[in-house]
Every structure is written in C-alpha cells, then in structure tokens.
C-alpha cells in the first residue's frame, strides 16, 4: 500500500513538473511580444473606426498595446473585485474625464490574462468611476443653479444620467450592492477638494462606458457617430482574445504560442524592455524569431542603458537569469522573408516624444513653485532651480550652488517599509531652505509617479497652506493632520501631475510621519 501511494505521489509530482515546464516554455519572451503585437493590430483597427477619439493606456499593462497613445490612466482591477468595490480618491483620473469632455469621448486600452473578456478595471472600476463623477457633476450644477450663481453651462438637465451602467455579465445582486455605496463615494469625492467645477464646464453630456473586445461585432458600414449619442462615451477596449481555442499559432517562418494579456506583470518576462523601446524596434524584435529574440532584446536594452548613462540618466544594469528553454523552441523552416508592417509606428519619431508617454514631462503644481517629474529630465532644468532627486543614482551634473541639490536614496516600500519615513526630515529641511529663498523646487524619482509624488505631498502639507501658498509651516503647526486632509492635498497634486501613481505603502509612511507617529507604526495604520 505504501509503495502504491508513493508511486501515485510521484506520478502527481511528475504531472505537476510537466505542467510547470510547459507553462514556462509557453511564457517565453517571444511569445509575449508576438502576442502583444498581434493584439495591437486589433487595437489599431478599433482606434481607426473613431480616429477623432484620443487613445489612452490603462497602466501598466495597457501601455504595451499601441505606439500611439495620447495619454495614460490608472484604474485598478482590485477596486472592482467582488466585495472589494472602491472609489479611490488617490486615483481620480480627472484628466480622463476632462479629455473626454474636450474631445467628445475617449478610448481606454487594457488587457487581462484570466480568460475573461474584460479585466475588472473595465467591468466595474471604470463604470463606478463614471457614475460617481456624473453624480458629483449633477449635484454641483444643482447647487450652482439653486444658489443663483450658475452659468449657462451649469444648468441642470433633467435627463442627466446618474445611473450605474455595468456590463451584462455582472449580476443584478452585485449591481445592487454597488449601488448602495454610490452616495457615500460621491460624498467622498465632493469632500476631497476635486475640481468638480472644471468637470461640469467640460462635460456637456454624462459619461458612459461602452465595452469592445475581439468578440465584439461592428458593422463598418453602420458605425455610429459618437457625437450623436446622448452621452460622452468611454470606450473600453480589451486588447486580448479571451478564447483559448487557438493558443498554438504558425506563420510562414515560426510557430509560437499566443498568451492573452501578455503585457501584464512585465517584471516577470520583459527583461528590461519597455513599451517605448519595444515599439521603436518592433520590426526587428518580431522578425528575429523565438530563438534569437532574447539576444535581440538584450542588445536593445543594453544600448538604451548606455545611451541614457552617457546623458546622466538613471541606467541600472539589467541582470536576467537565462531560461532553461531558450534553445529548445522549435521553429519552422524559413520559406520566405517575413512581411511585417508595424501598425501606426513612425520610425522617425523622437524617443522623447510625448506620445511615447515615457515620463517625459515635468509637472508644475499651479503657483506653488514646486514640480514633480522623472529623474532623467533633471538634466534639462535650469541651474537656478533647486533639485531634489529621491531614487536611483546621484546626478553627475554640478549645480552652481551646492545647497540647491540634494540626492536621497529612497527605495520602494516593497523593499524597505521605512525608507521614505527616514528620509522625509532631510527632504523637508532642503525644501524649506530653498523655498525661503524664492527658488523653484523640482522633485524627481525614477519614474516621477510614486516616491517623488509622496515626497511632494509631505512638502505641500508641511510648508504650504490649503490655498497652495508657502507659509513656512505655519498652517501645519496649527492643524491636526487627518487622512482626509492628506487625501485633499493628494487630489491637488494629481490635478496637475496626471501620471501620479503613489503606492499605498509610501502614502502610509507620509501620513505616519506627518501625524507624529514612529516608523514602526507605518505599516500598521
């Protein structure tokens, strides 16, 4: 009996190992990039149906699926998970609503690995977001007209749609549970200090999501004009095919395995390649085939690293463990040269072009004289500014005044839960010293989206009043710090720094420091 049980366990283990081996072999770099390229063709086709509508990438996965995004947004699937629904004032994405209002709508691209047609960010997070914004705008217009101060654009329309629009596959029970929370979320938005007035002026029609996947049927001779609808469309384009029926693919040159949602979790497969780099070299990468793809990508990443290092940018060396299967993929004999047309890819496009969305902007926060951005842009900043870099390597450039530059080695909360907490006193002393002298302050981190945003948040709360005026800490000394106040200041930052994506761990450290707590409590609040 023991022998039979042992044989059964060994058999199960062998099946498990075989399954893991097959999975690792399927999830190769070439399979991921080829799958992304194939899905990008679908995204290009949809964007050409309504070419006037701006195309946005939902970070980070969505950014892989086109070379022609006009902007980005950040809607998390976790905010739409069943029984975990949330409207997060740290991720308001108000620039998306403003852009949709200006252009008459927009398209948002994302993808999912889970075999579903749409990620939860599209099934529930964005529908909740559109509904809450519509309700806040409706309330604002009611108050404006009721108070007699409303402009013609603020007039309340009786048919302004404030209802929740969810896709058919979300159950009625779940819809009812979400609807019960809408009023509370609307109140949170109104209390956050968000600029509802600008939204009310920009949006002539309420926001409403529409869902488009590779299974959606669109008759090209009957494409509706989006401006004929009685709402502002937020078209949610799920790039990947949900079907697992045709995983194995073959071309005249190669065989490869299709991976739905291949752009997700890029740290596990991209080997240092970014979406921007991929689209600059898409022809060469896809044409290299499964066996040569890894080396081709390694060469591209290394050349880019050297290029940035020579210009003083953050350029850490990429170390990748070689795959056991890099030499075991079978490819078909080459019968003819591969003809590959990269969709909408301008080979002459400058790598620093804003359309690449590769952190190419310094965001000035209204009239505060404070800005945030990516470290690589710091080389272009005038020497008269004060500069605070919060991650990566110290810049090689020399400022005329040594007191105008400070480098702090702050790492993500994933690697050190107290790194930001320990460095905030130095950041605040530096900011106070330079702002007292009337200097502009630029705060940078590697991507300009997380650590620099949190340092900036601490500086604004500590040294500025709620009107955005520098008061050297007078208001802060007279105020009891609350999470609500911290959220209000973060909303102010995100109004200007539209790519901001502060992590929860770093925000906790900022709150803990400002409220007088200890580092040990940063993870418990």
């Amino acid at each position: 009996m023991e022998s039979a049980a042992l044989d059964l366990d060994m058999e199960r283990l062998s099946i498990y190992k075989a399954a893991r081996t097959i999975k690792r072999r399927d999830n190769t770099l070439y399979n991921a990039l080829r799958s992304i390229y194939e899905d990008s063709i679908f995204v290009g086709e949809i964007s050409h149906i309504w070419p006037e509508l701006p195309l946005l990438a939902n970070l980070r996965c969505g950014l892989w699926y086109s070379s022609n995004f006009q902007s980005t947004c950040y809607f998390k699937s976790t905010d739409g998970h069943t029984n975990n629904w949330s409207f997060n004032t740290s991720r308001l994405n108000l620039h998306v609503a403003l852009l949709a209002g200006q252009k008459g709508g927009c398209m948002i691209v994302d993808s999912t690995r889970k075999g579903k047609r749409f990620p939860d960010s599209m099934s529930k997070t964005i529908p909740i977001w559109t509904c809450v914004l519509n309700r806040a705008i409706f309330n604002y217009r009611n108050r404006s007209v009721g108070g007699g101060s409303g402009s013609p654009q603020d007039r309340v329309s009786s048919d302004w749609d404030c209802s929740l629009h969810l896709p058919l596959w979300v159950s009625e029970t779940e819809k009812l549970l979400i609807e019960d929370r809408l009023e509370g979320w609307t109140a949170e938005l109104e209390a956050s200090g968000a600029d509802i007035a600008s939204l009310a002026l920009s949006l002539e029609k309420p926001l409403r999501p529409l869902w488009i996947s590779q299974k959606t049927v669109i008759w090209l001779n009957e494409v509706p004009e989006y401006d004929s609808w009685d709402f502002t469309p937020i078209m949610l384009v799920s790039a990947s095919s949900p079907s697992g029926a045709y995983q194995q693919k073959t071309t005249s040159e190669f065989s490869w395995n299709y991976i739905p949602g291949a752009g997700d979790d890029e740290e596990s497969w991209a080997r240092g390649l970014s979406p921007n780099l991929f689209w600059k070299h898409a022809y060469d990468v896809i044409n290299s085939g499964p066996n040569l793809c890894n080396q081709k990508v390694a060469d591209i990443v290394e050349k880019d690293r050297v290029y940035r290092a020579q210009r003083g940018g953050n350029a850490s060396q990429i170390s990748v463990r070689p795959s056991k299967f890099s030499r075991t993929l079978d490819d078909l004999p080459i019968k003819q040269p591969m003809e590959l047309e990269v969709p909408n890819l301008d080979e002459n496009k400058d790598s620093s072009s804003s359309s690449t969305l590769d952190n190419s902007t310094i965001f000035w926060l209204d009239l505060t004289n404070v800005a945030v951005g990516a470290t690589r842009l710091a080389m272009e900043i005038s020497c008269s500014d004060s500069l605070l870099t919060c991650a990566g390597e110290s810049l090689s450039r020399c400022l005329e005044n040594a007191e105008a530059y400070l480098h702090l080695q702050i790492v993500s909360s994933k690697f050190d839960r107290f790194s930001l907490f320990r460095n905030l006193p130095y950041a605040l002393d530096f900011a106070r010293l330079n702002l007292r002298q009337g200097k502009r302050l630029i705060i940078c981190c590697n991507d300009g989206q997380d650590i620099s945003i949190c340092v900036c948040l601490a500086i604004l709360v500590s040294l500025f009043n709620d009107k955005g005026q520098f008061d050297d800490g007078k208001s802060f000394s007279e105020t009891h710090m609350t999470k609500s106040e911290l959220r209000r200041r973060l909303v102010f930052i995100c109004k200007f720094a539209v790519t901001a994506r502060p992590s929860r761990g770093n925000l906790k450290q900022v709150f803990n420091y400002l409220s007088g707590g200890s580092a040990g409590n940063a993870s418990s609040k």
Side-chain angles (χ1 to χ4, degrees):
M1 288 290 292
E2 292 181 1
S3 177
L6 182 61
D7 290 342
L8 182 59
D9 288 340
M10 291 297 293
E11 182 179 349
R12 288 174 179 170
L13 184 60
S14 298
I15 295 173
Y16 172 77
K17 284 186 174 180
R20 293 279 295 175
T21 299
I22 294 171
K23 183 177 181 180
R24 284 199 301 266
R25 177 169 175 166
D26 289 347
N27 289 341
T28 64
L29 180 61
Y30 185 80
N31 286 342
L33 295 176
R34 186 61 189 260
S35 301
I36 288 169
Y37 172 75
E38 295 293 323
D39 289 337
S40 74
I41 296 174
F42 165 71
V43 173
E45 290 172 347
I46 297 300
S47 66
H48 278 104
I49 295 177
W50 293 282
E52 301 88 357
L53 296 183
L55 192 67
L56 283 69
N58 193 33
L59 297 173
R60 291 179 303 166
C61 179
L63 196 55
W64 285 93
Y65 289 93
S66 177
S67 61
N68 285 317
F69 288 115
Q70 281 74 56
S71 186
T72 63
C73 54
Y74 188 42
F75 295 97
K76 291 191 70 173
S77 286
T78 51
D79 291 338
H81 287 176
T82 302
N83 295 322
N84 192 47
W85 313 287
S86 175
F87 179 85
N88 198 314
T89 53
S90 299
R91 296 183 286 273
L92 284 179
N93 293 288
L94 296 187
H95 67 288
V96 178
L98 291 170
L99 185 62
Q102 294 165 6
K103 301 294 185 179
C106 69
M107 298 184 186
I108 299 177
V109 177
D110 202 351
S111 184
T112 181
R113 281 178 179 264
K114 298 181 179 179
K116 299 182 291 188
R117 289 176 66 185
F118 293 86
D120 283 341
S121 60
M122 290 183 163
S123 294
K124 284 169 278 188
T125 304
I126 296 178
I128 289 172
W129 172 81
T130 59
C131 182
V132 171
L133 261 58
N134 285 338
R135 288 173 175 236
I137 293 170
F138 181 79
N139 292 344
Y140 171 83
R141 289 179 171 171
N142 266 329
R143 288 192 296 270
S144 297
V145 174
S149 60
S151 64
Q153 294 96 328
D154 289 333
R155 290 174 186 164
V156 179
S157 172
S158 59
D159 59 355
W160 184 268
D161 187 5
C162 291
S163 57
L164 177 65
H165 295 276
L166 294 172
L168 296 176
W169 54 86
V170 177
S171 69
E172 280 297 317
T173 301
E174 187 170 4
K175 182 179 180 180
L176 290 173
L177 290 171
I178 294 173
E179 287 177 331
D180 288 342
R181 292 163 169 80
L182 291 173
E183 285 302 317
W185 290 331
T186 305
E188 287 180 16
L189 172 60
E190 293 170 340
S192 71
D195 189 1
I196 307 299
S198 294
L199 292 178
L201 286 171
S202 177
L203 285 164
E204 297 181 359
K205 296 180 285 187
L207 300 167
R208 182 169 176 175
L210 299 175
W211 295 268
I212 300 175
S213 73
Q214 293 197 24
K215 286 193 171 183
T216 302
V217 177
I218 300 176
W219 299 102
L220 296 180
N221 61 335
E222 298 179 5
V223 174
E225 294 293 334
Y226 64 88
D227 54 2
S228 66
W229 294 327
D230 60 356
F231 56 85
T232 303
I234 305 294
M235 298 189 181
L236 308 178
V237 182
S238 183
S240 295
S241 169
S243 173
Y246 55 97
Q247 293 291 315
Q248 182 74 28
K249 298 217 174 187
T250 302
T251 67
S252 59
E253 291 184 293
F254 311 118
S255 63
W256 54 283
N257 293 303
Y258 175 78
I259 304 173
D264 193 22
D265 191 24
E266 61 189 54
E267 290 88 355
S268 67
W269 61 266
R271 295 171 175 252
L273 190 69
S274 67
N276 180 33
L277 270 182
F278 169 63
W279 285 111
K280 284 175 63 179
H281 303 277
Y283 180 89
D284 291 337
V285 170
I286 299 301
N287 206 31
S288 65
N291 282 351
L292 300 179
C293 178
N294 288 5
Q295 186 58 52
K296 173 64 70 175
V297 167
D299 293 342
I300 291 170
V301 170
E302 177 61 15
K303 287 179 181 178
D304 179 70
R305 186 190 72 83
V306 172
Y307 175 86
R308 287 185 288 113
Q310 290 173 343
R311 286 154 181 79
N314 181 60
S316 55
Q317 207 156 9
I318 303 296
S319 178
V320 180
R321 184 174 60 185
S323 169
K324 299 178 182 179
F325 307 99
S326 59
R327 298 181 179 275
T328 60
L329 292 173
D330 297 324
D331 57 306
L332 300 179
I334 297 177
K335 297 181 180 179
Q336 60 185 31
M338 182 180 182
E339 295 183 1
L340 174 66
E341 182 178 354
V342 179
N344 305 321
L345 181 63
D346 182 358
E347 294 181 357
N348 298 319
K349 187 179 293 183
D350 187 344
S351 62
S352 63
S353 169
S354 60
S355 62
T356 64
L357 304 173
D358 195 15
N359 312 313
S360 57
T361 304
I362 289 286
F363 298 102
W364 289 97
L365 309 182
D366 202 21
L367 302 178
T368 62
N369 275 344
V370 178
V372 290
T375 303
R376 67 181 184 81
L377 300 173
M379 296 298 294
E380 304 169 10
I381 298 171
S382 168
C383 289
S384 62
D385 294 320
S386 55
L387 177 62
L388 170 59
T389 53
C390 304
E393 301 174 359
S394 178
L395 295 179
S396 58
R397 64 171 261 183
C398 296
L399 296 178
E400 294 180 2
N401 183 356
E403 291 184 344
Y405 176 61
L406 175 66
H407 174 70
L408 298 174
Q409 188 61 48
I410 305 175
V411 299
S412 168
S413 59
K414 292 181 179 179
F415 304 107
D416 184 341
R417 291 180 297 165
F418 315 124
S419 178
L420 177 59
F421 184 98
R422 290 193 301 268
N423 283 279
L424 280 179
Y426 305 106
L428 292 174
D429 288 344
F430 175 78
R432 181 181 290 107
L433 173 66
N434 286 279
L435 290 170
R436 281 175 176 173
Q437 301 173 29
K439 291 183 179 180
R440 297 186 301 170
L441 171 64
I442 294 91
I443 308 165
C444 296
C445 64
N446 288 344
D447 59 10
Q449 298 175 357
D450 183 6
I451 295 175
S452 60
I453 297 294
C454 291
V455 171
C456 179
L457 176 62
I459 291 171
L460 286 185
V461 171
S462 300
L463 304 177
F464 289 76
N465 61 25
D466 58 3
K467 296 180 180 179
Q469 300 167 335
F470 177 71
D471 67 358
D472 206 4
K474 180 180 178 181
S475 299
F476 180 67
S477 64
E478 300 171 351
T479 304
H480 174 67
M481 177 50 51
T482 63
K483 290 185 178 180
S484 176
E485 177 61 21
L486 197 70
R487 280 195 291 267
R488 288 184 68 255
R489 298 298 184 99
L490 181 59
V491 167
F492 172 79
I493 293 174
C494 293
K495 176 181 177 180
F496 302 97
V498 296
T499 61
R501 293 190 297 147
S503 66
R504 185 180 181 185
N506 284 335
L507 288 174
K508 282 184 175 181
Q509 292 179 71
V510 172
F511 175 76
N512 194 68
Y513 178 84
L514 296 177
S515 60
S518 64
N521 292 331
S523 61
S524 62
K525 290 220 178 210

